[in-house]
Amino acid sequence: MSESLNSKRNFEDTVSEHLVSDASDLVRGSVRPPIDYSSAAAFTSSSWARWKSLWTRRFTLSLLAGQVVSLCITVTNVTTTELVSRNWSLPTTQTWFLYCSLFLVYTPYTMYKYGLKGWGQMIYRDGWKYFILASCDVEGNFLVVKAYNYTDLLSCMLLDAWAIPVCLFFCWVYMRTKYHWTQVLGILVCVGGLGMLVSSDMLTDKNYPALSKGKGDAFMIVGATLYGFTNATEEFFVRRSPLYEVVGQLGMWGTLINGIQAASLEHVDMTTASWNGATIGFLAAYTVAMFTLYTVAPLLYRMASSPFYNISLLTSDFYGLIFGLFLFHYSPYWLYFPAFCVVVIGLIIYFWHATPEEQGKLDPQAPAYIRRMHLDDQV
């Protein structure tokens, strides 16, 4: 018995040492070199030192991960367009395969890590919060897709950006994140890049008439609000809990909620849709792209933040142009290229003064009752 107690104390001491070490790393990584305004030479050298301090491994990976999720969004848009053109328009059913794949991949691993009893305890104690997260995610996806059916492209692109301030607000509510003015500037620069992309679409006549603008705009605003809420909430969860728990629960509850909704709204359309090799292939590509997005996004929340994730998505229209050049033979408009550069510059400005480490405490671990259960089993 004494040996078990000693091993328990050693385990707790090790955890404490790791937490202290992580805190020290956080302090060291959260300081940018100051800018010296005393002279032109001092300003130049200090600005160069600040520039070099940006390019840490964490920031570089965050920048790359942001473009990965942006590319995934583009793939989902392209595959959805192809599905609709082939008489397969089942947006809720289409998303069900995403949630099911997340459930099938991450939930068994959660059971392996927690044990079946521990997994059941997690469902009993924390399942309610994941149910709320999944409900908002499912309905956000549904409302945004419905908005595209009623309002025009200009409104959709501009109102979708409403998710950014919503996400900032909920991050502040959850984690009391302190935003530096340079972060706000970075967001404004990214939105300016979005404005250039919208102008490009308008100048190239890609807009389409609205069937019911007021209704579509309302759907988009509510959907973007749910997007901002779910992004910030998921960041709050994955900073404190293992990724496999959060994503697995999102998949499990999403499968249930989305399945009920699809059966209620699309059971007739399922029988009339064209099910063939092409539609199944595009559906598989859509699911793979969304699975990748839902896996990379929580990692990006940890490395940077959910607002950084949202502004990273503003480059997706540029990747849409690249796909359009090869698939739909679009003629590239010159404004797309500087718009992409402006968004990337905004992403860099976002962390010009603040650092990714400052965006919130990062301590992902199994729930305390799971850890106690494992310690009791060892004793």
Side-chain angles (χ1 to χ4, degrees):
M1 188 68 165
S2 60
E3 291 180 358
S4 300
L5 291 174
N6 287 334
S7 63
K8 182 176 179 180
R9 292 193 191 98
N10 291 335
F11 172 79
E12 293 173 346
D13 291 341
T14 302
V15 171
S16 300
E17 290 173 2
H18 280 298
L19 291 178
V20 171
S21 176
D22 291 343
S24 300
D25 292 340
L26 178 61
V27 172
R28 287 196 298 272
S30 62
V31 179
R32 294 272 188 236
I35 303 295
D36 189 349
Y37 299 95
S38 60
S39 66
F43 176 77
T44 302
S45 61
S46 60
S47 297
W48 178 246
R50 172 71 66 85
W51 172 259
K52 290 193 296 183
S53 73
L54 282 171
W55 299 98
T56 61
R57 181 174 179 269
R58 184 167 178 172
F59 174 72
T60 304
L61 289 175
S62 299
L63 203 60
L64 293 174
Q67 297 315 296
V68 169
V69 295
S70 184
L71 184 60
C72 288
I73 285 289
T74 305
V75 173
T76 62
N77 291 336
V78 171
T79 52
T80 299
T81 301
E82 290 293 329
L83 285 168
V84 171
S85 68
R86 287 167 170 76
N87 191 34
W88 203 99
S89 182
L90 303 169
T92 308
T93 304
Q94 182 176 329
T95 314
W96 182 85
F97 292 97
L98 158 69
Y99 292 114
C100 185
S101 63
L102 293 174
F103 169 66
L104 293 176
V105 171
Y106 288 102
T107 297
Y109 188 72
T110 307
M111 293 178 178
Y112 166 74
K113 296 293 289 185
Y114 289 178
L116 193 58
K117 180 181 177 182
W119 180 76
Q121 280 288 318
M122 184 266 295
I123 297 287
Y124 177 74
R125 297 193 180 201
D126 296 326
W128 63 271
K129 64 183 184 182
Y130 293 121
F131 177 82
I132 294 173
L133 175 66
S135 298
C136 293
D137 193 66
V138 169
E139 299 311 322
N141 287 329
F142 174 74
L143 289 172
V144 168
V145 171
K146 294 293 288 184
Y148 275 91
N149 294 332
Y150 289 99
T151 191
D152 56 24
L153 179 63
L154 174 61
S155 295
C156 286
M157 293 179 69
L158 292 177
L159 293 177
D160 194 33
W162 170 245
I164 298 173
V166 173
C167 186
L168 289 168
F169 171 74
F170 280 106
C171 282
W172 176 82
V173 170
Y174 292 141
M175 296 169 283
R176 289 296 187 265
T177 305
K178 296 180 180 179
Y179 298 104
H180 192 261
W181 67 267
T182 53
Q183 291 179 281
V184 178
L185 176 62
I187 293 173
L188 293 177
V189 171
C190 288
V191 173
L194 171 65
M196 295 170 68
L197 291 169
V198 171
S199 300
S200 301
D201 288 339
M202 296 303 103
L203 292 172
T204 53
D205 294 325
K206 289 185 181 176
N207 200 21
Y208 49 81
L211 180 63
S212 177
K213 189 172 176 60
K215 187 175 183 180
D217 289 353
F219 281 156
M220 180 57 76
I221 291 173
V222 177
T225 301
L226 291 174
Y227 272 164
F229 170 77
T230 55
N231 294 156
T233 304
E234 188 175 2
E235 178 187 351
F236 180 70
F237 289 163
V238 298
R239 284 183 177 275
R240 288 157 174 77
S241 303
L243 183 146
Y244 51 81
E245 175 191 317
V246 178
V247 181
Q249 282 292 284
L250 178 61
M252 186 185 81
W253 294 112
T255 300
L256 178 63
I257 298 166
N258 198 283
I260 294 173
Q261 186 164 307
S264 302
L265 301 179
E266 299 174 354
H267 61 280
V268 175
D269 294 335
M270 288 180 191
T271 60
T272 59
S274 299
W275 294 87
N276 51 52
T279 56
I280 293 173
F282 282 116
L283 183 59
Y286 172 89
T287 303
V288 169
M290 287 294 281
F291 182 90
T292 304
L293 187 148
Y294 272 67
T295 299
V296 175
L299 297 174
L300 183 56
Y301 298 159
R302 287 180 179 178
M303 291 188 293
S305 65
S306 50
F308 187 84
Y309 161 85
N310 276 280
I311 59 178
S312 295
L313 295 182
L314 298 181
T315 60
S316 61
D317 272 13
F318 175 78
Y319 295 117
L321 170 66
I322 303 301
F323 275 87
L325 291 175
F326 295 100
L327 295 178
F328 310 116
H329 306 293
Y330 287 162
S331 298
Y333 190 68
W334 67 271
L335 202 55
Y336 275 96
F337 302 97
F340 176 79
C341 294
V342 168
V343 175
V344 173
I345 290 171
L347 293 172
I348 294 173
I349 293 175
Y350 186 82
F351 282 129
W352 174 253
H353 181 275
T355 64
E357 291 82 1
E358 292 179 76
Q359 302 310 295
K361 181 182 177 182
L362 181 59
D363 184 25
Q365 53 183 322
Y369 53 84
I370 299 292
R371 299 197 302 274
R372 285 196 299 268
M373 186 183 301
H374 287 172
L375 286 175
D376 292 341
D377 291 340
Q378 291 177 5
V379 173

